[in-house]
Amino acid sequence: MTEAELRDIGGVAASARIIRMVLGVGAAFFVITGVLLLLIPDTFASWIGFDSNDVVAWCLRMLGAALLGLGGQMWLVRRAGNHPVLGAAAVMIVAGGLMTILTVTLPGEWTLVRWALLIVGLAFILVYAVLLVLARRT
């Protein structure tokens, strides 16, 4: 890319516009995952290589409720001004980073779903980080 092309995609407004789309996709992912965790926690536990019991199922349901709330907030913040949207991206880097660390340190075997969650989490963190760097370009 040329410097002029980078300038066109850089800056607060351009980055915020793309972050809004990423927040929307992330919100959908969190809502779907949250619903699955609420409805079928034992199955989800097996998908990620985790042994389930009543305590684990309860914790996964609680996580599902939290993901529904976070997904809803992500969806709503898309309507905010540019700078709050950039702030939401920074929050998602922290939250996504913590979820990624927890995915890596989760006891149990590595399954296809666990690898997929790790890759998706890392991808979101990377996209948010790149967009925040581009927002600083003038």
Side-chain angles (χ1 to χ4, degrees), residues 5-28:
E5 289 171 326
L6 282 173
R7 246 189 332 269
D8 288 342
I9 65 169
V12 171
S15 288
R17 185 174 57 251
I18 299 169
I19 288 170
R20 284 182 178 93
M21 290 185 272
V22 176
L23 284 168
V25 172

Side-chain angles (χ1 to χ4, degrees), residues 91-113:
V91 168
M92 292 311 300
I93 289 172
V94 172
L98 291 171
M99 285 188 272
T100 299
I101 290 168
L102 291 171
T103 299
V104 169
T105 60
L106 176 73
E109 66 183 81
W110 280 83
T111 64
L112 184 61
V113 172

Side-chain angles (χ1 to χ4, degrees), residues 5-84:
E5 289 171 326
L6 282 173
R7 246 189 332 269
D8 288 342
I9 65 169
V12 171
S15 288
R17 185 174 57 251
I18 299 169
I19 288 170
R20 284 182 178 93
M21 290 185 272
V22 176
L23 284 168
V25 172
F29 183 79
F30 278 1
V31 167
I32 291 167
T33 304
V35 168
L36 291 173
L37 287 167
L38 282 169
L39 297 178
I40 54 170
D42 295 320
T43 302
F44 199 95
S46 70
W47 289 347
I48 59 174
F50 202 59
D51 292 329
S52 187
N53 57 43
D54 289 343
V55 172
V56 169
W58 185 89
C59 289
L60 290 176
R61 282 190 174 105
M62 182 65 86
L63 176 60
L67 287 178
L68 286 175
L70 183 56
Q73 290 294 340
M74 290 165 65
W75 186 259
L76 292 174
V77 80
R78 294 166 50 252
R79 297 181 184 181
N82 291 341
H83 288 91

